[in-house]
Amino acid sequence: AVLPLIVWPLTHLAGLSTEEQRVALVFAAGPAAAASYVMAVQMGGDERLASNAVALSTLLAAPMLALALWISS
């Protein structure tokens, strides 16, 4: 949920156009991949942590996307 706030100044420092900044922010605001849970299960990782990360990032994706697009406008 914090990634768009990190990506936004980096896109400015990189000199990206407004359109390119928005594309980067849309990708940064997206939720964690659900495949991370499957990978955690198959590799004996922390399944609970992976599932919580996917759930939380999915819940926060829409408001963070709105915030990211508002910031970039």
Side-chain angles (χ1 to χ4, degrees), residues 3-16 20-21 24-25 28:
L3 190 57
L5 301 175
I6 296 170
V7 169
W8 183 65
L10 293 176
T11 60
H12 277 281
L13 290 173
L16 298 180
E20 292 168 331
Q21 289 175 4
L25 287 170

Side-chain angles (χ1 to χ4, degrees), residues 19-53:
E19 184 177 304
E20 292 168 331
Q21 289 175 4
R22 285 186 170 196
V23 169
L25 287 170
V26 166
F27 279 111
S36 62
Y37 172 77
V38 175
M39 182 184 257
V41 171
Q42 290 180 349
M43 299 189 76
D46 191 344
E47 301 170 30
R48 186 173 184 184
L49 177 64
S51 65
N52 287 338

